[in-house]
Amino acid sequence: MICFVYRSPYEGLLGKHVRWLPDATVLDWFRRGWTEALSDPDAWVKAELGADVYGLDSIFEEARERSLPSPASMSELRKVLKKHLYVEGAVKVDDHSVRASTDDDEVPLAYFFLDQSLVAAEPARMAYALQEQWPLPSDAPEESDDDPVTTVAVSALGDADWDTQGYVVRLPGVRLPDLPAWLRSADVPKHWPEELTLLRAAVGPHDTGLEPALDRINRWGAWNDQYLDIQGLDGAHEEAHRIVREVMAQVAGHDRIPGPLGRRRPADGRVAVAGHLAQGVFHLDETFGYQQWFVFDDVWAAHHHYLAKSLTRWFKGRWDLL
């Protein structure tokens, strides 16, 4: 089998779509498409992959219109994709994969065809990419010999490109159970993304876990165009949380609230908090889907080593899994 991964904000809670295919190699899938996609390339790609993958049908359209011979090797596939596949970014082909970056003039997109041998050989790069379900597994031991550290990984809003697909911030010296108290007492450094500043302000004065704060963020209704409005949230925590309560009061009881691109539906958001992993997905817009949040500490990361490594890589702004 091979695996197909499509990174796209149009594709559900995790902003990606995963499909396992029966072909023995990536080359075999493309060779099969050379034959089976001839009558209707667009419909065949959608049926095969379960998603409308931007521009991918172009290679089979070109094969039909130009009578291109089916590639006999990955080297030949590389040449034909470089010349005839429509992408706005890059196409990379090696012996076990095809990786492409593009955009639809609205958002950056990327897709990957991966041989099973490559998936097995690179778990620290692939584990999160292959994750199909939300929430992520949260089981973890209660103790660790590692130095305490919490990692915050958040997908980006606004005019994102491949250099700003997400943010990853490490908070040394603290684990998730102690994070609410730590945030209440923390100053806001200049390098913090707006989301982390909002998280600090959303933590209530008596919160012992992150679930109430994430629930408040799920209902956040203050925006500057496509960006979070965090004016006043970087000051003293008491004042910052007072502003959060004011914003909450303005949208209390509303099914739809202001969002970065239109109207948000908080009822479609999800929050799950365990001992060492907090995660949320927040509905942003009918078209552009959801924003993903993950907050985890060294205890969870040690127990889910590959998932933590690959998740951090995913949100650090690199389109290419390899």
Side-chain angles (χ1 to χ4, degrees), residues 161-211:
D161 56 31
W162 279 119
D163 294 324
T164 56
Q165 276 290 286
Y167 309 104
V168 177
V169 179
R170 287 168 56 85
L171 306 174
V174 63
R175 292 193 173 117
L176 201 69
D178 300 318
L179 188 59
W182 186 92
L183 287 169
R184 282 191 291 266
S185 64
D187 294 328
V188 177
K190 291 183 178 180
H191 71 273
W192 274 15
E194 293 175 340
E195 285 82 359
L196 186 50
T197 300
L198 175 58
L199 177 63
R200 170 186 173 269
V203 170
H206 305 296
D207 291 349
T208 58
L210 286 185
E211 186 167 357

Side-chain angles (χ1 to χ4, degrees), residues 76-95:
E76 290 184 13
L77 179 62
R78 180 187 300 110
K79 292 177 182 178
V80 73
L81 291 180
K82 291 277 190 180
K83 187 172 183 178
H84 297 290
L85 176 66
Y86 173 72
V87 294
E88 295 286 348
V91 181
K92 299 183 180 183
V93 182
D94 59 29
D95 289 344

Side-chain angles (χ1 to χ4, degrees), residues 215-221 247-248 251-254 257 264 266:
D215 284 335
R216 293 174 188 119
I217 291 169
N218 186 39
R219 296 193 59 81
W220 188 252
V247 173
M248 295 296 98
V251 298
H254 294 187
I257 62 177
R264 300 179 62 200

Side-chain angles (χ1 to χ4, degrees), residues 303-318:
H303 194 62
H304 298 276
H305 177 71
Y306 294 137
L307 192 53
K309 284 280 190 182
S310 59
L311 187 156
T312 301
R313 184 181 181 87
W314 183 272
F315 288 105
K316 271 191 173 178
R318 300 169 180 166

Side-chain angles (χ1 to χ4, degrees), residues 1 3-5 11-21 126-137 307:
M1 297 181 72
C3 187
F4 171 77
V5 179
E11 297 297 328
L13 292 177
L14 290 175
K16 59 189 175 73
H17 172 76
V18 180
R19 174 67 67 94
W20 289 89
L21 301 163
M126 302 292 179
Y128 178 74
L130 302 183
Q131 180 73 28
E132 298 184 57
Q133 300 295 326
W134 188 95
L136 305 187
L307 192 53

